[in-house]
Amino acid sequence: MLGRQFHKINRIRRESLIKMFKPNGLSLLCLLSLHQVAYLLKDKLQSTGPLDNKVLSVEEGKMGPQYLYRFTFQPPTYSLRLTGEIDNLIEITPKDGVLIVNEPLDWENKSTYRLQLEGLNQNGNRVQGPYSIIINVIDINDNPPQFNKSSYSGEVRQHSLPGKPFMYVTAFDRDDPSSLNSQLSYSILHQFPSPFTTEMFFQIDNVTGAISTTLSGAENLNPDIQDKFTLEVVAKDKAGQSKDSFATSTDVKITVLENLWKSPPEVILMENSTKPHPMNITHVQWNDPSAKYELQPKEKSSIKLPFTVDQSGTVYVTEPLDREEKDYYSFYILAIDEEGDKLAYPVTVSVHVEDINDNPPVCDHVMTKFEVQENEVAGNLIGTVSASDRDKKGSFNSRLRFRLLEQTPKIPLDNLFRIESGTGSVHLFKMGLNRQVATNYFLKVEVTDPDFSTVCDVQIHVIDINDKIPIFEKSDYGTLTIPEDWGIGTILKKIQATDADEPFTGSSQIIYTITKGDPNNTFIILTDKKTNMGVIKINKALDFETAAMYNLTINATNPEPLVAGVKYNSSSSTFLQIYVTNVDEAPVFRQSVYIVEKYENVTVGTNVATAEAYDPEGYTIRYSLRKNNRNWLEIDPVSGRIYTAAPLDREIQHTYIVEIVATEQSEASKSCAVQLILHVTDVNDNPPYLAKSTVFFCHPLQKGESAEFEVDDPDTHLPVFTYTLSGEHANNWIISKADGKHAYISPTNLNLEEKIYNVSLKINDNGRPPMERVVNLKVNVCRCVDERCFIEIENPNPFPTVGVAVGILVGVLLVIGVILGIVFLNLERKKKKEQSAVAIRPSELRTLT
Ligand SMILES: *[C@@H]1O[C@H](CO)[C@@H](O)[C@H](O)[C@H]1NC(C)=O
Ligand SMILES: *[C@@H]1O[C@H](CO)[C@@H](O)[C@H](O)[C@H]1NC(C)=O
Ligand SMILES: *[C@@H]1O[C@H](CO)[C@@H](O)[C@H](O)[C@H]1NC(C)=O
Ligand SMILES: *[C@@H]1O[C@H](CO)[C@@H](O)[C@H](O)[C@H]1NC(C)=O
Ligand SMILES: *[C@@H]1O[C@H](CO)[C@@H](O)[C@H](O)[C@H]1NC(C)=O
Ligand SMILES: *[C@@H]1O[C@H](CO)[C@@H](O)[C@H](O)[C@H]1NC(C)=O
């Protein structure tokens, strides 16, 4: 608007000035010509040149007249002629060759003008050309997007795949399809209602206009709660990147439908079914009949799942299942479309396999063997028969009962033994065992579950009475010296006791036990079954510093009890002293890692932690730090106190990790290290800065225009920036906030001229403590083409800004003499040289305009 008014004023002023100054016409003409020539000159040779083929560009919609180019020529050419698609819009001044567009062009009407230019001699005959002049019209954004329908409606199923389009909107724009002006970007402006959260349930593809559900929509949409939504969808041109783009909005009505596609309830199947297979167990259903179904295991496994799904969604089990092999199955069923693409998330089918009693009890041993002494007392426990059942633990199906069926031989009595039905433990029931009568008894034990029974065999060996005690070869094995670093399992010593009872029975077998001197079971003694030899091994790590000497008392006993009247005496005991020798070990820290947290503003010397290590051998320890790359910390070598040695800075490093080293003060100098992890906590110690420090406005300035700039702050807290304008330009601008890190600057004075303004701006982050900084925002007020500052190349705009215009009208009047002087002087000097130079001869000047 402003521009247009100005053009009019300019034209009127030009004409009236010409009339007013008629008597003194020459100098005025010179002035105006110079004004234009000054423009032509400003652009140097790019906008002026000899007759030739030319391709020029003109922005559409610009109020004329516009001076596109100035063709220079020499005799024999005296004037120019322009023909072709001039459409009464384009002309050339015949004598001085200025190509002018008189009226605004319209790209949508015509985007290219093809013209021919000829050089004519004094008689009007062509002596040069024709040359081809092509004027390309540059599109400006003068068409808003238009939707192809006035409103849209669509349907979506609950739990649809997020991001899978269920409908499209389409808009078009009449502007140049090769330019940003017709490039559309779709977005959702509002969602009505937003029932639960501020989260959007729908999204739109900014390029294709495809509408789909968001992750939140896929999770939360529920037709029972809300089944109608209206979206206000916007199409913006200029790819939605500019705040000056045109936007058109439309309503999209969406109905949410129930989703039939859901996981069926858990299936309970009896194992080992005798019904015909495959057997129908459950059903799944996609929302329309077109889908295909596919079964998919949850995890990769070589075992093939015994299930299938058919194309109507019925799920089958293909064979009888065995609970004892696998009691639970869970797998996915996919709904896929014709192309094999997933229609939605898969549903889960879970199958629980119920136990039936289909496993008989099983004896744990083919023959269970017990021993009993000849003189065993009635009631004594002889042993326990063990059997198992694979059916479900804790159910009746696996409950076992024991019963004695038969004893062989039945001499001297039957029923010498008794078995407890619940546990299977066998006891001596009657006294009277005699090795002369029978050395072995064989029992048949029946084990039953509710449906099955099994018979287990038991052998009971009658052994000699245990009336001899084990006697050690040596009553003292002396001393043994071993280093503390010998490993667990190392054999230290072999010891031997002998027993005169019947060999290879519980009466003669020997068990070695350490009865004194080893409270922590540091050692263990195993018996060689054949030779009754005892092997002493290290059972737990040795440590000289905790125990340097073990004074062991070792007893030898039999598994079978001794007969009445016989007792173990000191011949069944022996001694062994074990001395552990020291091996120098590294110091040990009391903590495996030190983790501390400090504010970044702590003063130098602040205590951070105190390292504490000890040496097992008791050597003194000295501390040091490693990997202290920034030298932020120091450690007192004696006390281990760690303190800050320099100011910390979270913005440089928020987690500082060093190693604390403890070294023993000995010849070996053994050392060890642990980590110190220092988390540096943020303090507001950085002022804000401009992340984007240059903005531009198109000249002339328009009311209500604003430009966005970006501010940032390295600290972590969420800054709340406030802005204060200062300096000479303060009154020409106002600042308004956009979001967290963005703000807008807008001009208050629309008459600002074309130049770069340094707007001084104080930004405060309102933190604790508040930090502020004065920054310079560079505001470039420039002439634009395509929303960018335009550097003139071949399209000089003859119309200066108001300020410049006044400047030129007043200023040029004053300096005209000087300029003319220089021009004439130059001409004077270069009279015969360079006739076609940049400067223009007075004769030409006169005829311009
Ligand atoms: C469209 O969206 C994508 C990502 O969502 C973004 O990277 C791109 O800049 C957007 N394009 C337009 C034209 O808005
Ligand atoms: C199924 O049950 C029968 C007895 O009912 C049994 O013999 C068979 O071993 C069982 N099969 C499986 C796989 O458990
Ligand atoms: C046994 O263990 C306790 C607790 O760990 C320890 O204090 C003691 O010194 C140990 N004694 C020996 C002899 O290893
Ligand atoms: C070892 O223990 C035995 C008996 O407990 C005792 O007689 C003997 O003096 C002890 N020896 C040492 C060195 O302590
Ligand atoms: C221990 O008892 C056995 C017989 O049972 C006997 O031969 C031996 O001398 C006894 N030892 C001592 C030290 O009394
Ligand atoms: C360090 O910053 C914290 C938090 O902003 C503040 O409370 C404290 O007083 C500051 N300390 C020093 C030494 O500046």
Side-chain angles (χ1 to χ4, degrees):
M1 280 309 277
L2 194 83
R4 203 170 297 171
Q5 277 167 5
F6 173 67
H7 292 318
K8 264 185 212 145
I9 292 167
N10 195 43
R11 199 183 294 175
I12 293 163
R13 190 177 297 164
R14 185 166 56 171
E15 282 155 10
S16 56
L17 279 174
I18 292 170
K19 282 175 198 142
M20 273 166 62
F21 288 86
K22 202 78 190 188
N24 204 355
L26 176 67
S27 64
L28 181 73
L29 278 176
C30 287
L31 159 65
L32 291 167
S33 307
L34 255 182
H35 157 200
Q36 281 146 4
V37 170
Y39 266 86
L40 293 172
L41 287 178
K42 188 170 114 189
D43 295 306
K44 306 239 174 73
L45 300 169
Q46 274 116 345
S47 55
T48 180
L51 291 180
D52 202 352
N53 294 334
K54 275 269 163 235
V55 178
L56 301 168
S57 303
V58 179
E59 201 176 307
E60 72 166 318
K62 274 229 168 124
M63 286 301 168
Q66 297 184 64
Y67 299 81
L68 296 193
Y69 199 82
R70 179 171 173 270
F71 290 98
T72 56
F73 51 86
Q74 293 151 18
T77 297
Y78 278 91
S79 66
L80 300 180
R81 179 164 68 199
L82 189 66
T83 54
E85 303 170 333
I86 53 179
D87 294 9
N88 286 331
L89 297 171
I90 305 166
E91 62 169 305
I92 195 153
T93 57
K95 290 279 188 273
D96 39 50
V98 178
L99 184 63
I100 301 170
V101 174
N102 279 318
E103 295 294 330
L105 303 181
D106 181 9
W107 180 90
E108 284 74 20
N109 183 30
K110 188 169 180 134
S111 64
T112 304
Y113 289 83
R114 291 169 202 285
L115 308 165
Q116 290 81 42
L117 183 62
E118 297 157 303
L120 308 177
N121 65 9
Q122 274 163 319
N123 302 331
N125 297 327
R126 183 169 83 204
V127 288
Q128 275 186 283
Y131 298 101
S132 147
I133 308 294
I134 293 176
I135 297 178
N136 286 322
V137 183
I138 301 172
D139 182 51
I140 63 164
N141 191 24
D142 53 358
N143 287 286
Q146 279 174 277
F147 280 96
N148 66 351
K149 288 193 201 167
S150 59
S151 76
Y152 295 80
S153 57
E155 288 178 345
V156 63
R157 294 275 176 183
Q158 182 185 11
H159 304 311
S160 294
L161 214 54
K164 191 173 168 71
F166 60 87
M167 65 178 296
Y168 288 84
V169 296
T170 307
F172 67 96
D173 188 295
R174 289 182 59 229
D175 284 314
D176 184 356
S178 69
S179 78
L180 219 49
N181 294 341
S182 70
Q183 202 172 314
L184 301 185
S185 171
Y186 299 97
S187 56
I188 297 176
L189 194 59
H190 297 295
Q191 165 189 310
F192 302 103
S194 301
F196 314 109
T197 53
T198 53
E199 275 175 58
M200 295 294 276
F201 287 172
F202 302 96
Q203 59 192 358
I204 191 163
D205 185 311
N206 59 12
V207 177
T208 63
I211 299 178
S212 59
T213 54
T214 60
L215 204 58
S216 167
E219 278 168 14
N220 296 319
L221 282 175
N222 182 348
D224 297 340
I225 298 173
Q226 176 73 39
D227 68 339
K228 299 258 189 255
F229 287 88
T230 301
L231 305 182
E232 187 173 352
V233 169
V234 181
K236 287 184 182 173
D237 61 18
K238 298 198 169 201
Q241 302 293 310
S242 165
K243 63 190 170 45
D244 299 325
S245 55
F246 286 121
T248 306
S249 71
T250 186
D251 276 4
V252 177
K253 294 191 162 45
I254 294 171
T255 307
V256 182
L257 301 176
E258 190 206 354
N259 201 330
L260 305 176
W261 181 242
K262 50 193 164 200
S263 299
E266 185 180 80
V267 178
I268 294 177
L269 276 185
M270 279 296 172
E271 65 168 326
N272 207 350
S273 166
T274 52
K275 290 191 189 134
H277 285 76
M279 183 169 74
N280 172 352
I281 56 168
T282 188
H283 190 78
V284 294
Q285 171 68 64
W286 178 244
N287 295 303
D288 58 61
S290 70
K292 290 194 156 88
Y293 304 96
E294 216 171 72
L295 195 138
Q296 191 184 57
K298 274 196 174 167
E299 64 260 353
K300 282 218 167 80
S301 148
S302 53
I303 303 158
K304 194 177 164 288
L305 282 174
F307 302 95
T308 55
V309 62
D310 70 10
Q311 289 321 306
S312 70
T314 306
V315 183
Y316 299 89
V317 59
T318 53
E319 58 195 50
L321 302 180
D322 181 5
R323 190 207 66 91
E324 286 71 42
E325 196 180 301
K326 192 166 165 62
D327 64 355
Y328 183 77
Y329 294 87
S330 182
F331 51 90
Y332 293 128
I333 293 183
L334 293 172
I336 53 180
D337 62 17
E338 300 285 311
E339 280 82 47
D341 290 333
K342 270 194 237 179
L343 287 163
Y345 287 124
V347 294
T348 300
V349 176
S350 308
V351 176
H352 197 91
V353 188
E354 281 283 270
D355 187 44
I356 63 166
N357 190 19
D358 57 352
N359 286 281
V362 178
C363 308
D364 288 354
H365 307 282
V366 179
M367 176 70 82
T368 307
K369 290 182 180 169
F370 299 136
E371 285 180 351
V372 61
Q373 289 177 54
E374 238 179 336
N375 64 342
E376 196 82 45
V377 178
N380 276 7
L381 172 68
I382 296 169
T384 301
V385 177
S386 59
S388 45
D389 189 302
R390 292 179 69 223
D391 287 316
K392 193 171 176 184
K393 289 268 161 308
S395 78
F396 271 113
N397 292 343
S398 66
R399 178 193 184 178
L400 303 184
R401 317 280 296 165
F402 297 85
R403 191 161 70 98
L404 194 58
L405 292 180
E406 198 186 312
Q407 170 196 316
T408 318
K410 297 184 190 354
I411 47 171
L413 288 167
D414 198 3
N415 295 327
L416 279 170
F417 308 97
R418 185 180 178 274
I419 192 159
E420 284 177 9
S421 67
T423 61
S425 55
V426 177
H427 293 257
L428 187 65
F429 194 46
K430 288 171 187 157
M431 302 216 15
L433 297 176
N434 186 336
R435 276 158 46 90
Q436 258 72 52
V437 174
T439 52
N440 281 299
Y441 289 90
F442 295 92
L443 308 182
K444 294 229 176 276
V445 174
E446 184 195 54
V447 187
T448 51
D449 71 12
D451 300 305
F452 301 96
S453 72
T454 306
V455 174
C456 296
D457 287 314
V458 179
Q459 179 188 17
I460 298 178
H461 182 50
V462 182
I463 59 170
D464 193 13
I465 55 170
N466 188 11
D467 56 357
K468 303 284 183 326
I469 59 170
I471 311 279
F472 270 106
E473 279 180 351
K474 291 183 184 174
S475 61
D476 191 335
Y477 280 87
T479 62
L480 185 66
T481 304
I482 54 172
E484 62 175 328
D485 60 356
W486 275 17
I488 292 172
T490 310
I491 295 175
L492 299 182
K493 187 98 189 154
K494 290 177 177 167
I495 54 175
Q496 181 79 61
T498 50
D499 188 299
D501 284 317
E502 185 186 353
F504 308 113
T505 67
S507 298
S508 64
Q509 254 177 49
I510 297 176
I511 299 168
Y512 296 97
T513 325
I514 301 170
T515 53
K516 255 196 216 162
D518 184 21
N520 295 347
N521 297 324
T522 309
F523 305 101
I524 189 171
I525 308 177
L526 303 176
T527 306
D528 182 320
K529 286 270 184 311
K530 279 187 189 147
T531 61
N532 264 342
M533 179 192 279
V535 180
I536 307 176
K537 290 183 177 185
I538 299 174
N539 188 40
K540 286 182 186 161
L542 301 172
D543 182 18
F544 169 82
E545 285 75 22
T546 21
M549 200 277 271
Y550 294 88
N551 187 7
L552 304 181
T553 303
I554 302 166
N555 281 5
T557 54
N558 297 127
E560 283 290 326
L562 293 172
V563 295
V566 181
K567 297 232 154 54
Y568 295 107
N569 64 17
S570 61
S571 298
S572 305
S573 291
T574 190
F575 301 102
L576 173 66
Q577 285 177 15
I578 299 177
Y579 286 91
V580 178
T581 56
N582 192 19
V583 175
D584 188 9
E585 291 157 299
V588 180
F589 276 93
R590 297 213 186 271
Q591 262 174 265
S592 58
V593 63
Y594 290 81
I595 301 173
V596 286
E597 202 174 302
K598 289 285 163 203
Y599 277 114
E600 57 176 320
N601 65 349
V602 293
T603 49
V604 171
T606 299
N607 203 36
V608 169
T610 302
E612 220 187 318
Y614 63 91
D615 184 66
E617 285 76 43
Y619 290 117
T620 357
I621 284 178
R622 290 287 178 270
Y623 299 96
S624 57
L625 293 180
R626 254 194 331 226
K627 303 194 177 159
N628 187 14
N629 301 337
R630 299 194 185 278
N631 292 318
W632 280 359
L633 300 177
E634 251 168 46
I635 192 165
D636 182 315
V638 176
S639 69
R641 189 178 87 93
I642 303 169
Y643 51 93
T644 60
L648 308 180
D649 190 348
R650 189 203 66 88
E651 286 72 34
I652 293 178
Q653 191 167 348
H654 53 74
T655 307
Y656 190 58
I657 302 177
V658 299
E659 276 180 11
I660 315 171
V661 182
T663 310
E664 62 177 37
Q665 300 301 294
S666 71
E667 209 142 290
S669 282
K670 296 219 169 183
S671 67
C672 75
V674 294
Q675 273 193 341
L676 168 77
I677 301 173
L678 171 61
H679 293 289
V680 183
T681 316
D682 189 38
V683 170
N684 192 33
D685 57 356
N686 288 282
Y689 65 92
L690 279 177
K692 183 185 161 217
S693 60
T694 311
V695 297
F696 71 91
F697 285 96
C698 292
H699 187 271
L701 291 167
Q702 310 271 319
K703 207 173 150 91
E705 270 194 312
S706 61
E708 194 183 63
F709 60 95
E710 190 180 332
V711 180
D712 209 344
D713 189 316
D715 293 311
T716 52
H717 80 285
L718 261 183
V720 181
F721 296 120
T722 49
Y723 307 89
T724 320
L725 283 160
S726 60
E728 49 169 336
H729 302 299
N731 294 332
N732 288 335
W733 307 96
I734 49 171
I735 306 289
S736 54
K737 284 185 78 163
D739 56 35
K741 290 183 171 175
H742 297 91
Y744 292 121
I745 182 165
S746 350
T748 51
N749 175 3
L750 299 182
N751 297 328
L752 289 176
E753 60 188 69
E754 234 184 287
K755 70 173 229 191
I756 296 176
Y757 295 85
N758 276 321
V759 178
S760 161
L761 194 58
K762 188 156 69 183
I763 311 176
N764 192 310
D765 65 10
N766 294 292
R768 259 193 312 158
M771 299 293 290
E772 66 180 24
R773 188 199 304 259
V774 177
V775 297
N776 256 334
L777 181 64
K778 280 200 187 342
V779 183
N780 187 358
V781 178
C782 57
R783 206 144 50 81
C784 295
V785 161
D786 271 349
E787 291 301 318
R788 272 176 308 204
C789 281
F790 179 59
I791 319 288
E792 286 180 28
I793 292 172
E794 48 184 20
N795 188 14
N797 184 344
F799 300 108
T801 63
V802 178
V804 177
V806 172
I808 287 177
L809 285 171
V810 177
V812 170
L813 265 172
L814 294 174
V815 297
I816 180 72
V818 182
I819 296 170
L820 281 174
I822 291 164
V823 171
F824 286 123
L825 247 163
N826 277 348
L827 282 170
E828 215 47 43
R829 205 187 298 156
K830 303 179 182 174
K831 215 172 231 166
K832 300 243 159 71
K833 290 192 233 163
E834 289 200 280
Q835 289 195 330
S836 59
V838 177
I840 294 175
R841 285 180 296 175
S843 60
E844 289 177 290
L845 289 176
R846 201 178 308 133
T847 49
L848 250 161
T849 68

